[in-house]
Amino acid sequence: MNDATREVFGNIAPWMQVVFFVMMAASIGVLVWQVVAHVRLWRKGQPGGFERHWRVWIERLVVYALAQKRVHKKSLGALLHLLLFSGFVVLTIGTTLLGIAHDGPYDFHHGLYYLIYELTMDVFGVAFIVGCLLAMYRRAFRRKSSLGHNRSDWWLLGLLFSLGITGFAVEALRMHYTQVQPPVAYWSTVGWLIDTTLLRGIDVGTAQTMHLAAWWLHAILVALFFATIPVNRFLHVITGPLNIAGRPERPMGALVQLKMEEVEKTGRTGVAELEEFTRQQLLSLDACMECGRCEDACPATATGKPLSPKAVVIDLRGLMARGGGDVHATIRDETLWACTMCQACVQECPVLIGHVDLISDMRRDLIGQGKLSGPPAKALQQIGNQANPYGRPNSDRLAWAKGLGVPTVKSNPAFEYLLWVGCAASFDPRAQKVARATAQLLKEGGVNFAVLGPEESCTGDPARRIGDEFLFQQRAQINVETLARHKVKKIVTPCPHCHNTLKNEYPQFGGQYEVQHHSTLLAGLVGAGRLSNGASTGEPITLHDPCYLARVNGEVDATRTVIGAATDGQFREMPRHGKKTFCCGAGGGRMWFDESPAQRVSGLRAQEALATGARTLATACPFCLNMMTDGMAGTQGGENVKVLDIAELLLSRRTPSSAGVRSLQSEAKSES
Ligand code: SF4
Ligand code: SF4
């Protein structure tokens, strides 16, 4: 066993070896030439946009490229991808090691190493072939509509499968004519099985001739494979890791800051021509493997709106291949406005494509061209004029607090927490109850807090998501100055959108605060025994996780802690929950867009909530509260379900008086 090894090029004449190496060099030359052509297309974009820290590159490559974190799922697609990927990686490494052992200064291809090498290559070779077969089966019989499909996919799968089969044929024929015997033969298990069954009775000379033919077929297929990578789906094996490493590091909830000096220099507020995207964004278009994961998660696609995040990427890629030009001639305005910026597509994409950045850049250009009209345009106008999208005088900001004795920054300048109420909870009659419940609970929990009152103004979140970056930056600068004037360090807010903007986007303007969503602070108060657990109605309850709390900012436990304190184990999760929640339809400024009832995301979400059998739907966002109240009202059976913010729930359930519970619940119902 110590002498166990195998020949390399044993049956291949020297002149054939020269032809082989020339063929491989030509094939790799074609590959490099075509990749360079892609790089030239990416270089048409704006310089920069790439992540520069190599530690981030390595971390991401390990997590997303090698460990394939986003591909793990209990699905046929995930299984076949794992088999194909692991098979391809191990066979490539194995072939490289063989080349090094044969042509390099070290001869290590023998003994125990050789035996383990042979077994490993056989195991992963089988995995690779099974992966190919499963991929063919899925494409032929189980293809979901979101999975991209081209004729070249069949060519690629056929090529990969043939590579696997001819590889084993070469192994078996070599073993046959070199007369490899057990126990060494056992380690090349597949080759030995073929040798002892299919090749039985074939003489050595015939086996040698057959080996030569199989070897050449295998070599030609390898050369074809390399030369055609850039024109088929396999390109993502190159572009995917490049994009995974190169995508700039930023919190998911922070959009790119438009630099005003840049605007003055270029006159551009967004992206109108493809070349106005960054080079990294253009590279990302080529990284798409058309897996359809983004489309499957998209609430706009699910409700029949004219938006598929996958189609946006593929259409822009098509435009890039045609030489670039006007993005709005390729991506319709309706497509861009349909996005709720829920980030589900971004969360799902295995190669970290930034769909929301692409859409946001094109929206900014539409706003620059004055292409927005109707209610959303009015909301922006009102943010500019009245500092809130509801068009109410900002002096009314404390109307919700009437009779509660809520401390303000003037009456309590030594506050620990600033309660940032947000526009919805300040002005929307239904959401005002959330502000009242939150303030009451903070008081009861002994929190030293204050509100800004009329000094608070819209964070600018809806303006930024809709695409009006100027308006957003104006509001951000004013608010950062206000917060500095009152020496604010800690902020608590019942609005996940304010929470996200204050925490992730205001640092772009020098605003650094410790920002908590009210669920986190309330959960802390419950944990510390500063808010009593209450009487339960015993009714089943479910939770709609707000996108900007759960998915974008990763907060999923605090809401459940608060619900746990307010109920007695009757909690039921929806299938899409936690970080994998589903949008309510209000984000991205969609709150102010008209929508036909059939296309309402909230209706779809209400059905999911109803299917749990819950009689109460809790949420933790004033916009979700409104959307889900509408969604329930428009869904059969939804009229019997109460929709409450977690603060309202906690306040109502911890009150021993059942009259108190009934009063708040009936208030909520009468609003719906
Ligand atoms: S952010 Fe949400 S709505 Fe927009 S494209 Fe992505 S998944 Fe669809
Ligand atoms: S953009 Fe990402 S998630 Fe969507 S199809 Fe392409 S690779 Fe898949």
Side-chain angles (χ1 to χ4, degrees):
M1 298 274 274
N2 283 343
D3 298 332
T5 189
R6 53 163 277 196
E7 60 174 37
V8 179
F9 289 128
N11 193 30
I12 314 299
W15 70 267
M16 288 184 188
Q17 293 180 31
V18 173
V19 172
F20 168 75
F21 282 117
V22 169
M23 183 175 74
M24 290 312 295
S27 151
I28 290 171
V30 171
L31 166 66
V32 171
W33 171 65
Q34 292 188 79
V35 169
V36 168
H38 278 273
V39 174
R40 285 212 184 97
L41 291 178
W42 308 336
R43 284 182 59 79
K44 287 184 178 176
Q46 302 304 304
F50 286 96
E51 175 57 48
R52 290 178 180 276
H53 293 94
W54 61 270
R55 276 177 210 277
V56 178
W57 298 350
I58 292 174
E59 200 180 291
R60 291 217 208 116
L61 285 172
V62 169
V63 173
Y64 297 106
L66 274 181
Q68 307 237 321
K69 187 181 172 198
R70 295 209 174 157
V71 182
H72 297 166
K73 264 186 187 169
K74 284 185 189 152
S75 69
L76 179 62
L79 173 68
L80 71 87
H81 194 269
L82 179 72
L83 292 171
L84 279 173
F85 176 74
S86 57
F88 179 76
V89 169
V90 172
L91 294 179
T92 305
I93 293 172
T95 308
T96 310
L97 284 173
L98 184 63
I100 293 171
H102 181 252
D103 297 319
Y106 307 107
D107 178 17
F108 52 82
H109 203 72
H110 50 73
L112 184 62
Y113 164 85
Y114 165 73
L115 297 175
I116 294 172
Y117 172 93
E118 287 291 295
L119 185 63
T120 308
M121 292 291 273
D122 272 26
V123 168
F124 283 90
V126 170
F128 187 70
I129 289 175
V130 172
C132 287
L133 289 172
L134 287 177
M136 289 177 189
Y137 166 74
R138 183 172 72 143
R139 219 153 261 282
F141 304 109
R142 298 262 308 272
R143 185 161 65 86
K144 55 176 188 163
S145 60
S146 60
L147 178 67
H149 184 68
N150 308 308
R151 249 178 300 172
S152 66
D153 295 330
W154 283 116
W155 150 261
L156 176 63
L157 284 174
L159 181 60
L160 295 176
F161 178 72
S162 308
L163 273 172
I165 294 296
T166 52
F168 278 126
V170 169
E171 178 183 61
L173 288 161
R174 175 179 48 75
M175 289 173 74
H176 192 81
Y177 80 74
T178 55
Q179 306 275 293
V180 182
Q181 300 299 323
V184 171
Y186 293 150
W187 293 80
S188 306
T189 315
V190 179
W192 172 72
L193 284 173
I194 298 173
D195 180 16
T196 51
T197 54
L198 300 180
L199 302 182
R200 205 156 17 141
I202 293 179
D203 64 74
V204 168
T206 309
Q208 216 162 354
T209 309
M210 287 170 70
H211 172 267
L212 192 61
W215 187 90
W216 270 113
L217 181 58
H218 187 70
I220 290 168
L221 290 175
V222 171
L224 264 177
F225 169 68
F226 280 122
T228 55
I229 284 177
V231 294
N232 63 45
R233 199 180 290 276
F234 218 82
L235 179 65
H236 82 270
V237 172
I238 298 170
T239 50
L242 285 178
N243 192 58
I244 285 170
R247 192 183 162 196
E249 184 77 348
R250 217 179 327 122
M252 189 190 259
L255 290 179
V256 178
Q257 181 186 3
L258 192 61
K259 301 270 194 245
M260 291 307 144
E261 318 85 69
E262 283 291 309
V263 177
E264 275 169 27
K265 222 166 37 183
T266 63
R268 285 199 302 264
T269 57
V271 167
E273 300 282 320
L274 190 87
E275 296 73 17
E276 291 164 10
F277 283 121
T278 65
R279 290 173 180 173
Q280 182 274 325
Q281 284 176 308
L282 295 185
L283 153 67
S284 78
L285 304 177
D286 267 339
C288 177
M289 66 189 102
E290 302 182 33
C291 66
R293 286 180 173 83
C294 54
E295 191 176 290
D296 294 339
C298 178
T301 311
T303 48
K305 299 199 183 68
L307 165 64
S308 148
K310 183 187 89 176
V312 168
V313 171
I314 290 170
D315 290 349
L316 289 175
R317 183 170 71 190
L319 183 63
M320 180 164 72
R322 296 194 298 277
D326 182 4
V327 292
H328 301 300
T330 298
I331 310 290
R332 288 191 293 153
D333 298 358
E334 295 76 20
T335 298
L336 299 175
W337 296 133
C339 178
T340 67
M341 304 229 154
C342 69
Q343 302 273 1
C345 50
V346 176
Q347 183 187 41
E348 290 299 319
C349 183
V351 287
L352 310 196
I353 293 173
H355 316 72
V356 169
D357 286 341
L358 296 170
I359 290 171
S360 164
D361 284 343
M362 292 185 278
R363 274 190 177 187
R364 286 177 180 177
D365 182 65
L366 290 182
I367 291 289
Q369 292 182 39
K371 283 205 175 165
L372 186 70
S373 59
K378 192 165 173 209
L380 292 185
Q381 200 182 34
Q382 291 173 159
I383 292 173
N385 295 339
Q386 278 96 14
N388 68 79
Y390 295 88
R392 299 273 298 281
N394 222 36
S395 53
D396 286 355
R397 270 213 179 244
L398 264 182
W400 63 271
K402 208 168 166 196
L404 287 182
V406 172
T408 66
V409 288
K410 289 213 173 88
S411 67
N412 178 26
F415 62 90
E416 182 186 3
Y417 285 94
L418 179 82
L419 172 57
W420 183 278
V421 184
C423 298
S426 295
F427 297 110
D428 179 88
R430 175 67 189 90
Q432 281 178 334
K433 294 185 175 70
V434 179
R436 288 179 71 82
T438 305
Q440 276 176 266
L441 289 168
L442 294 186
K443 282 179 99 174
E444 290 185 19
V447 178
N448 177 11
F449 75 99
V451 296
L452 282 168
E455 285 189 75
E456 184 183 301
S457 73
C458 176
T459 57
D461 160 80
R464 186 171 239 198
R465 313 287 144 203
I466 287 175
D468 195 337
E469 179 70 4
F470 291 107
L471 182 56
F472 165 71
Q473 293 200 10
Q474 185 194 61
R475 295 272 36 109
Q477 271 150 12
I478 290 171
N479 285 326
V480 167
E481 281 168 23
T482 305
L483 294 169
R485 203 164 51 245
H486 292 290
K487 301 187 174 50
V488 173
K489 291 194 175 57
K490 295 183 185 176
I491 299 176
V492 59
T493 176
C495 174
H497 296 271
C498 295
H499 170 255
N500 176 67
T501 301
L502 291 163
K503 180 179 162 189
N504 296 321
E505 296 191 314
Y506 276 23
Q508 295 171 350
F509 305 90
Q512 301 274 1
Y513 321 104
E514 185 189 315
V515 189
Q516 286 187 31
H517 185 251
H518 73 331
S519 57
T520 314
L521 191 55
L522 293 177
L525 294 175
V526 166
R530 286 161 66 178
L531 287 176
S532 55
N533 289 9
S536 166
T537 61
E539 286 183 347
I541 182 167
T542 190
L543 170 70
H544 164 75
D545 289 278
C547 293
Y548 272 75
L549 184 64
R551 175 181 298 113
V552 176
N553 284 290
E555 183 52 84
V556 295
D557 295 332
T559 38
R560 285 161 178 80
T561 302
V562 174
I563 291 173
T567 61
D568 61 351
Q570 291 291 313
F571 183 58
R572 297 179 184 180
E573 289 283 17
M574 284 193 258
R576 293 190 265 199
H577 65 269
K579 290 179 189 167
K580 297 273 184 173
T581 186
F582 191 65
C583 186
C584 72
R590 292 292 308 173
M591 180 81 191
W592 287 277
F593 280 75
D594 288 331
E595 223 166 52
S596 77
Q599 289 194 323
R600 285 190 188 145
V601 180
S602 57
L604 199 56
R605 190 60 166 158
Q607 286 171 19
E608 286 182 22
L610 277 170
T612 65
R615 303 303 299 267
T616 300
L617 170 62
T619 188
C621 167
F623 294 104
C624 295
L625 186 69
N626 261 320
M627 295 305 264
M628 294 315 303
T629 303
D630 283 353
M632 279 296 175
T635 306
Q636 201 181 4
E639 60 281 1
N640 300 319
V641 176
K642 298 174 284 288
V643 184
L644 295 173
D645 184 88
I646 53 160
E648 297 177 290
L649 187 75
L650 185 59
L651 185 70
S652 68
R653 297 285 168 87
R654 94 204 190 314
T655 307
S657 148
S658 59
V661 177
R662 276 200 299 276
S663 115
L664 187 54
Q665 289 172 349
S666 57
E667 262 189 89
K669 269 189 86 177
S670 68
E671 285 301 330
S672 68

